[in-house]
Amino acid sequence: MGSILTLTNNLNHLKSTKEKIIVLDKIYDFKKDEDLNYKNIQVIQNKYRDKKELIDTYEYCNNIYIKLLKDLTIELNRIHGLKKNTESWEVIIGKWLLEFIYICHKNFLLCQKALKENQFENIIMIEPNSYSLHVGDTEDFLWATNDSSWNLCLNSKIVEFLKSDKNKIYIKPNQKSFIRKKNKTKRVNYFIKSIFKFINKLFKFKKIVLIYSSSFKFLEEKKIELSLGQLPRFWPRESLKINFFDKNLRKELSLKKKTDDKFLNFLRFSLPDAIPLYILESFEDINKQMKKMNFPINPSKVFTCYGYAYDEIFKYYLSDIVEKKIPIFIGQHGNNYFTTIYSKHHRELNHPYKFISWGVSNEKKNIFAGFNFNTYGKVIDNNPQGKLLIVTQAVGVSISPFERNLKYEKNAETVCNLINSLNEKKEFIELKLHFTHKQMFDGFYFNRYYKNLNVKKNFHDSFFKLLKKSRLVFFNYDSTGFLENLSLNIPSVCLWHDTYSHLNEDYVKKYKKLVEAKILFEDFDQLLDHINKYWDNIDQWWLSTRTQKIIKEFNNKFNINNQNNKNLTNILK
């Protein structure tokens, strides 16, 4: 029986269904022959050996990021006729660039491992020059990293770059680049939008604190603006004007520099093709869109929780603000800040930004203590006779330089085992699913793990709405919702695969206190016993002096519940 490495999801080229097929990572949308024997498929995975290797890899990728950012600053200034500094360009391209390095690193290791450790006669791959890695914007890139065709093309480019001596069979892809199917979003009425634009233009030169895309509800955000002594403002989000890919423009980019680092050489080789359209072809049009938004010319400060990440128009504005040396404050909007080994590489925790956390303070690093913005203004009473709400991990939304699907699958298996082990309580179980379970990886996670579970499934109701009818909440991952529940004092338990592998050593001790309180579990059977023991009286455990003391200690200077915005306004004044 022959062996073949496939870098395509189309298996029509197999000589027989008995051939051994080697694939890199999982391909979730095999276009397969019905007679294909799945026992003949070998999946190559590249897992980190230990926490040290993971930490070293993030450091390595970050060092490459710094080198490439400097070179891209020079090239993009030359292409666009600008003199922006590196920090200014980092605001526009930083998030995409770092995540591009991460995903390329993961796939590069997989390709190297497959070529080095496996014997096969042929490589069937996408013709590398027939598919471009470019996307429209940063959000498109997130979706592309979960798309089989995009990854298979990336792998084909890597294998071609590594100059394998194996026989290669090239096939053409069905499309020339990744195209995301976008859901229709609610648009602000044109007349209302025009009114806001007019008001913004009138006050364009007023020195205000610009609050944009915060974690707060609309009315709460406007109250904060009033408490700062300024008229509330609103900037409706605009759709990006994205132009077509220009191959000739990209040929002008000069990024190749030979080094002893093969991976870095590959990145330099690939970047001209991979840079998103919003950075090159659409730069001038997006800049014009930004100016028409009538953002304040010289605000005293800028505060945002989300605008720095996926809002390209606002990122162009922030880029100008950086050059004016106006303070930019990023508000914490989720968990994993400070606790994870990779959090220090988050661009929002680094210069030129200042960061307002949910409780952590380190003014030497421009980190200021706020409070949990997500629970501000919320008082939620759960139902002691209500349901077990199971909150599942979104898939494909975090980009790592190592394999990530193994952890997703282990955490999904935990949910299935828990539901099946609580068979007599199924009528009391509600499963809170994430839209990514159906939309990412061709629906693999929903179809494989959740579809056939005989419990109520909920994609649409908000997390906070579901809390009101739940007696206990289970999380299968280290979740933002978990921190929100501890902030609101909602009974919660959790268990996830490889409990401490993602945590900074400084926080391992903090999480182990939750194990003592029977909130975080390292063992499935212990979790199951705990739920069964306290199911009829959750408060006996949750409201006990010991449990409440540990929750208070965990939240202290880390996850503060505050129903007064005074300390936020003091920071922003």
Side-chain angles (χ1 to χ4, degrees), residues 159-182:
V159 167
E160 190 80 355
F161 179 83
L162 292 173
K163 301 186 185 305
S164 169
D165 58 1
K166 302 291 183 183
N167 180 53
K168 299 185 186 74
I169 302 170
Y170 296 107
I171 66 169
K172 287 193 174 182
N174 293 327
Q175 55 191 44
K176 294 182 178 180
S177 64
F178 173 75
I179 301 173
R180 177 162 69 102
K181 294 178 181 178
K182 299 185 180 181

Side-chain angles (χ1 to χ4, degrees), residues 241-253:
K241 291 181 180 177
I242 295 294
N243 296 326
F244 292 112
F245 181 82
D246 186 338
K247 198 170 184 178
N248 292 326
L249 174 64
R250 289 167 184 262
K251 286 179 180 178
E252 295 180 30
L253 287 167

Side-chain angles (χ1 to χ4, degrees), residues 465-512:
K465 181 180 179 180
L466 294 174
L467 288 183
K468 294 177 182 178
K469 56 181 182 178
S470 303
R471 75 173 78 180
L472 180 65
V473 184
F474 168 75
F475 296 92
N476 73 335
Y477 67 113
D478 192 1
S479 162
T480 297
F482 177 55
L483 289 190
E484 291 167 351
N485 276 15
L486 292 182
S487 171
L488 294 167
N489 206 20
I490 302 291
S492 304
V493 290
C494 49
L495 181 149
W496 54 77
H497 175 67
D498 212 356
T499 313
Y500 307 109
S501 64
H502 67 298
L503 293 175
N504 277 322
E505 288 304 316
D506 294 343
Y507 281 89
V508 170
K509 186 176 179 181
K510 196 175 185 73
Y511 273 69
K512 284 190 173 181

Side-chain angles (χ1 to χ4, degrees), residues 82-294:
L82 299 171
K83 294 181 179 179
K84 283 182 176 288
N85 59 36
T86 302
E87 290 176 348
S88 182
W89 274 113
E90 183 172 26
V91 171
I92 295 174
I93 70 174
K95 182 174 176 61
W96 166 79
L97 177 60
L98 186 60
E99 293 183 350
F100 179 72
I101 293 169
Y102 284 167
I103 196 72
C104 286
H105 181 274
K106 178 180 81 73
N107 288 30
F108 198 86
L109 291 184
L110 284 169
C111 290
Q112 281 188 318
K113 185 175 182 179
L115 294 175
K116 184 179 180 180
E117 298 179 6
N118 293 273
Q119 293 184 347
F120 44 84
E121 290 76 40
N122 298 300
I123 305 175
I124 299 184
M125 56 194 285
I126 294 173
E127 207 291 308
N129 295 324
S130 64
Y131 189 105
S132 172
L133 294 175
H134 79 272
V135 293
D137 58 26
T138 315
E139 192 169 352
D140 286 346
F141 176 71
L142 173 65
W143 287 83
T145 62
N146 298 294
D147 178 73
S148 287
S149 294
W150 190 90
N151 277 283
L152 290 166
C153 173
L154 173 59
N155 291 339
S156 296
K157 289 177 184 287
I158 292 170
V159 167
E160 190 80 355
F161 179 83
L162 292 173
K163 301 186 185 305
S164 169
D165 58 1
K166 302 291 183 183
N167 180 53
K168 299 185 186 74
I169 302 170
Y170 296 107
I171 66 169
K172 287 193 174 182
N174 293 327
Q175 55 191 44
K176 294 182 178 180
S177 64
F178 173 75
I179 301 173
R180 177 162 69 102
K181 294 178 181 178
K182 299 185 180 181
N183 296 326
K184 290 184 179 179
T185 56
K186 291 183 180 178
R187 295 192 174 185
V188 179
N189 179 279
Y190 178 79
F191 177 70
I192 296 174
K193 189 185 290 188
S194 299
I195 291 174
F196 278 114
K197 280 189 175 182
F198 178 73
I199 293 172
N200 291 337
K201 190 173 183 179
L202 288 178
F203 295 96
K204 188 175 182 178
F205 298 96
K206 194 170 178 65
K207 205 170 186 68
I208 65 165
V209 177
L210 170 59
I211 298 179
Y212 180 90
S213 192
S214 73
S215 293
F216 300 104
K217 289 184 177 179
F218 181 80
L219 290 178
E220 297 297 342
E221 182 180 284
K222 301 310 126 187
K223 286 179 184 177
I224 292 171
E225 289 178 288
L226 288 170
S227 69
L228 290 167
Q230 61 189 51
L231 182 71
R233 311 282 286 279
F234 176 62
W235 285 270
R237 190 166 174 178
E238 297 279 352
S239 298
L240 274 184
K241 291 181 180 177
I242 295 294
N243 296 326
F244 292 112
F245 181 82
D246 186 338
K247 198 170 184 178
N248 292 326
L249 174 64
R250 289 167 184 262
K251 286 179 180 178
E252 295 180 30
L253 287 167
S254 179
L255 293 167
K256 292 181 183 178
K257 291 180 184 177
K258 274 214 167 184
T259 70
D260 293 331
D261 187 329
K262 283 186 179 180
F263 175 59
L264 177 56
N265 291 340
F266 172 75
L267 290 171
R268 290 187 178 283
F269 172 78
S270 302
L271 275 170
D273 173 63
I275 292 173
L277 298 170
Y278 84 92
I279 297 169
L280 280 173
E281 288 84 350
S282 303
F283 184 86
E284 287 187 15
D285 285 336
I286 294 174
N287 209 35
K288 289 176 184 176
Q289 282 187 278
M290 181 270 288
K291 289 175 180 176
K292 288 180 180 178
M293 292 292 290
N294 292 318

